[in-house]
Amino acid sequence: MKKLLELTKGNRLLYVLAILAIGIATYISLLEPMVIKITIDSIIGKSPMSVPKVLENFITKIGGRGFLRSNLWICALCLVALTSLRGIFLYLKGKLATKASENIARNTRVKLYDHIQNLPYKYHVNAESGDLIQRCTSDVETIRKFFSVQMVEIGRAVFIVAISLFMMLSLNLKMTIISMVTVPIILLASFIFFNSVRNTFQKADDQEGALTSILEQNLSGVRVVKAFGREQYEIEKFDKENKKYKDLSFKVANILSTYWATSDFLCTVQIGLVLIFGIYYAVRGDISLGTLVVFNTYEGMLLWPVRQLGRILSDMGKMTVSLKRVANILDEEIEKDEGEGLKSDIQGEISFEDVSFEYEKNQNVLQHISFTVKKGENIAVVGPTGSGKSSLVHLLLRLYDYKSGSIKVDGVELSDISRKWIRSKIGIVLQEPFLYSRTIKDNIKISKLDAQDSEIVSAASMAAVHQVITSFNSGYDTTVGEKGVTLSGGQRQRVAIARTLINEFPILIFDDSLSAVDAETDKIIREKLEEKSENVTTFIIAHRISTVIDADKIIVLNHGKIEAIGKHEELIKKQGIYKRIWEIQNASDTESEENFA
């Protein structure tokens, strides 16, 4: 209920007006049978006319019942007028409810998107993108449909039951009791059905999320599927999950059909009871023919919302499941600056002092890391896979927070610096760069939207990709496929490097982002970086020793600990993992040169 109230914030007046409109329309619809009753009993028949005094005086002035009996078209015109008036209020109800529901859906999507953007990096590492897409689209649409239709229908049902019950009681108590015999049974069936469909829909909705995740992963990794000939395996995996979703959806449909069949039977029985007893009482003279028509009409109007209660509860069950799935995201705690949230001047001087870090308790990824970096230094980080290289720079970006030790940037404790601020001062190129399905120019300037063409070309030249781009038919206006699929791995990396270099960052991080380029291109990029980044602190994570050979300082990590720090010439003289990697790669390069010779 709290979440529902939050969602309707700013649109509650629209719902009040929509419910008021449906209330008036309902009252008018209940007046129509009364017009028919008066026509049958008091105009065509001779029963006393029970109408408000004002209306009775008006009828007398125009000629009385005799005049109306001779001009029955006036009664028909009254019905047309009431129906038209009811139509106007139904239109207002639909317009107001639709406007409110669309506002709610829009606000929910914006709120979800904004919240997801501000969730911590750890959440996105563990979340399935397909399931998130499902919650932001299908689940929001389910909520919108409920607010658009069923929210107002609840008000309509209350009005119909209350007003029709009051009017029937004013006509005949016995017929009113007969008219309500099966209603409690239908209500009980509705609530039983509600619990069944809600639990089943929860499973179906979760399974649809899993299905969407499989589809999203398969489409994203289609080249891997093709490369390894795994099409049949992926088809079978999708078919298996699809069958689960089909079975659950069929179960929901089966519950729905059972409910509708049961409620239809009970409604038919109820209408039959009203007709049988109504005719019996009419023949005996206990009620008039007009009263029988009114009760028969009211019965149909009364049973409709009672029967619709099942659909309302069904959609409410679906909505509560979707709302819960949306709320699960919104309840996740967003990134917050636990420190002072400073926006200090970032120059590029960095120090790690006895820093330890773990993703999970008692599983240290980094242990007692200590080193200092001066402004403008070129720092290389090497080590075997899983040694903690990427984790080191993740701490610097505050994607994760260190639990012990101290990291200072220009003398200020990193945990006291605003996350967004420190990230805006650090340019990072990842090992697996992501490119949007846009032009190369748009991808390069995405981090600096007001960049001039000359800046774009300059950044591309430093990334050694300008000549490659100009060789394309459309040059910088060439559209790359989703995630840059139309470019080679090396071209994607160089475009990503250009995207970072177009800004003037005081700190640059290259997270194994030169691995997909050849040694010659690697050297060209490093030389251009040295020319540009004279006063820029640069971190280069690499596996290839030739990439880090000219670094001012090389940090060697092994099992989360610093094994050695120094220049290349110093480290190859010491026994350790750096020397072994150097010897292996040097021997491999020598063998390759001999083979080519």
Side-chain angles (χ1 to χ4, degrees):
M1 186 57 68
K2 183 181 177 183
K3 289 294 179 187
L4 280 174
L5 290 173
E6 286 178 6
L7 289 178
T8 57
K9 189 176 181 180
N11 295 281
R12 292 168 194 165
L13 179 60
L14 290 174
Y15 274 115
V16 170
L17 293 174
I19 292 172
L20 183 62
I22 195 67
I24 296 171
T26 301
Y27 181 70
I28 293 170
S29 69
L30 291 169
L31 286 178
E32 293 169 9
M34 296 302 291
V35 173
I36 296 173
K37 177 186 181 302
I38 292 168
T39 302
I40 293 172
D41 291 346
S42 303
I43 296 176
I44 298 174
K46 299 186 182 298
S47 299
M49 188 177 290
S50 55
V51 295
K53 192 69 177 175
V54 175
L55 185 58
E56 187 177 350
N57 292 335
F58 175 75
I59 292 172
T60 302
K61 283 182 180 180
I62 64 173
R65 289 194 287 180
F67 176 77
L68 292 177
R69 190 180 297 116
S70 302
N71 296 275
L72 287 176
W73 62 269
I74 295 175
C75 299
L77 186 62
C78 288
L79 288 174
V80 171
L82 287 172
T83 303
S84 300
L85 191 59
R86 177 165 59 92
I88 292 171
F89 282 102
L90 286 175
Y91 166 77
L92 289 174
K93 179 270 300 184
K95 183 176 181 179
L96 292 167
T98 300
K99 185 176 180 181
S101 64
E102 291 295 342
N103 286 342
I104 287 170
R106 177 189 175 277
N107 293 341
T108 303
R109 291 190 193 100
V110 170
K111 192 173 182 180
L112 265 174
Y113 191 79
D114 179 75
H115 196 81
I116 288 171
Q117 294 297 312
N118 289 288
L119 286 173
Y121 181 74
K122 183 180 180 181
Y123 176 86
H124 290 286
V125 169
N126 297 317
E128 292 187 358
S129 55
D131 187 56
L132 288 179
I133 292 170
Q134 161 88 5
R135 297 185 192 217
C136 293
T137 53
S138 179
D139 286 325
V140 172
E141 179 62 14
T142 300
I143 294 169
R144 186 201 66 79
K145 285 181 179 178
F146 177 81
F147 277 105
S148 176
V149 180
Q150 304 303 355
M151 192 77 166
V152 178
E153 286 301 318
I154 293 172
R156 183 181 184 184
V158 171
F159 278 118
I160 286 181
V161 172
I163 299 173
S164 62
L165 190 59
F166 173 78
M167 288 186 168
M168 286 192 294
L169 282 170
S170 67
L171 292 173
N172 190 279
L173 177 61
K174 288 188 292 184
M175 283 298 295
T176 303
I177 294 171
I178 292 168
S179 300
M180 300 295 290
V181 169
T182 63
V183 170
I185 302 172
I186 297 173
L187 289 173
L188 179 62
S190 297
F191 282 103
I192 293 171
F193 160 74
F194 169 70
N195 287 323
S196 299
V197 78
R198 181 176 60 179
N199 296 330
T200 307
F201 185 77
Q202 170 80 62
K203 296 175 183 176
D205 206 30
D206 289 342
Q207 183 59 32
E208 186 181 359
L211 198 65
T212 306
S213 292
I214 290 173
L215 182 62
E216 189 273 335
Q217 290 171 11
N218 184 269
L219 293 175
S220 298
V222 66
R223 288 183 299 167
V224 177
V225 174
K226 291 290 184 184
F228 289 93
R230 301 284 284 178
E231 292 92 344
Q232 190 58 39
Y233 171 80
E234 292 296 329
I235 291 170
E236 290 173 0
K237 184 172 74 171
F238 182 82
D239 184 58
K240 181 181 177 182
E241 296 302 318
N242 194 28
K243 186 177 182 301
K244 289 181 184 177
Y245 177 61
K246 184 265 293 181
D247 291 341
L248 287 167
S249 298
F250 181 76
K251 190 175 180 180
V252 171
N254 194 39
I255 295 171
L256 282 168
S257 61
T258 302
Y259 171 77
W260 292 122
T262 304
S263 61
D264 277 347
F265 173 74
L266 291 172
C267 289
T268 304
V269 170
Q270 180 65 78
I271 292 169
L273 288 172
V274 170
L275 280 172
I276 291 168
F277 282 93
I279 292 170
Y280 174 71
Y281 288 137
V283 170
R284 282 181 49 179
D286 294 341
I287 61 173
S288 67
L289 182 60
T291 302
L292 172 60
V293 171
V294 169
F295 266 95
N296 188 52
T297 306
Y298 278 2
E299 189 60 43
M301 297 173 71
L302 176 66
L303 287 176
W304 184 84
V306 173
R307 182 175 178 269
Q308 275 294 103
L309 183 63
R311 180 174 292 279
I312 292 171
L313 290 173
S314 168
D315 288 349
M316 183 183 287
K318 294 177 181 179
M319 186 276 295
T320 53
V321 168
S322 294
L323 185 60
K324 184 179 178 181
R325 283 166 56 81
V326 168
N328 285 342
I329 297 177
L330 296 176
D331 289 341
E332 289 286 340
E333 190 172 351
I334 62 173
E335 274 191 331
K336 294 179 181 177
D337 289 318
E338 296 175 358
E340 298 180 26
L342 300 175
K343 295 183 178 180
S344 58
D345 184 31
I346 306 297
Q347 296 294 321
E349 189 172 306
I350 300 165
S351 68
F352 277 62
E353 297 176 13
D354 197 29
V355 175
S356 294
F357 171 70
E358 57 185 25
Y359 291 109
E360 296 180 11
K361 195 173 182 180
N362 300 323
Q363 293 185 14
N364 285 328
V365 177
L366 296 172
Q367 302 176 54
H368 309 295
I369 303 297
S370 297
F371 63 87
T372 58
V373 179
K374 295 178 182 178
K375 174 186 174 181
E377 279 194 322
N378 187 348
I379 307 299
V381 184
V382 298
T385 301
S387 59
K389 301 186 295 298
S390 293
S391 298
L392 190 75
V393 294
H394 286 170
L395 293 182
L396 191 57
L397 284 159
R398 291 203 68 188
L399 296 177
Y400 295 96
D401 281 329
Y402 47 99
K403 302 302 179 185
S404 64
S406 171
I407 302 176
K408 291 183 179 179
V409 179
D410 297 300
V412 180
E413 190 66 37
L414 180 61
S415 58
D416 288 333
I417 301 175
S418 164
R419 294 178 191 272
K420 290 184 178 179
W421 179 255
I422 191 66
R423 289 170 192 169
S424 70
K425 300 299 178 181
I426 298 177
I428 183 168
V429 185
L430 301 171
Q431 183 178 1
E432 297 179 5
F434 180 91
L435 299 184
Y436 292 91
S437 184
R438 302 176 187 173
T439 64
I440 293 174
K441 180 192 290 186
D442 288 337
N443 271 285
I444 292 176
K445 65 184 288 189
I446 202 164
S447 63
K448 189 178 181 181
L449 297 176
D450 59 348
Q452 301 299 314
D453 288 349
S454 58
E455 294 178 273
I456 295 170
V457 171
S458 176
S461 299
M462 280 189 286
V465 73
H466 172 68
Q467 290 184 342
V468 174
I469 295 171
T470 53
S471 69
F472 298 145
N473 291 334
S474 300
Y476 282 86
D477 292 321
T478 301
T479 301
V480 300
E482 188 176 5
K483 297 183 181 180
V485 71
T486 54
L487 302 178
S488 69
Q491 290 168 349
R492 283 200 304 274
Q493 281 195 335
R494 282 180 278 172
V495 170
I497 291 170
R499 180 173 62 192
T500 300
L501 296 180
I502 201 169
N503 278 297
E504 298 293 333
F505 292 111
I507 302 172
L508 289 174
I509 297 173
F510 296 87
D511 189 358
D512 204 17
S513 50
L514 298 174
S515 58
V517 301
D518 58 81
E520 185 178 349
T521 305
D522 179 354
K523 185 178 179 182
I524 293 170
I525 294 173
R526 284 188 288 109
E527 287 175 352
K528 290 184 179 293
L529 279 174
E530 286 178 15
E531 294 173 10
K532 171 187 169 62
S533 57
E534 190 173 318
N535 294 314
V536 176
T537 302
T538 306
F539 284 83
I540 297 179
I541 296 174
H543 289 92
R544 192 161 53 194
I545 298 297
S546 60
T547 301
V548 304
I549 199 168
D550 296 322
D552 297 318
K553 189 181 293 180
I554 300 172
I555 300 172
V556 184
L557 288 178
N558 193 16
H559 299 299
K561 297 180 180 179
I562 293 180
E563 184 177 282
I565 298 179
K567 288 182 172 291
H568 172 72
E569 293 78 9
E570 299 169 355
L571 295 175
I572 60 173
K573 295 175 182 177
K574 299 178 181 178
Q575 293 298 322
I577 192 167
Y578 185 87
K579 184 178 180 180
R580 290 199 300 273
I581 295 172
W582 164 251
E583 289 173 346
I584 292 169
Q585 292 185 2
N586 195 39
S588 177
D589 291 342
T590 303
E591 185 179 343
S592 297
E593 289 175 8
E594 291 175 353
N595 289 335
F596 278 110

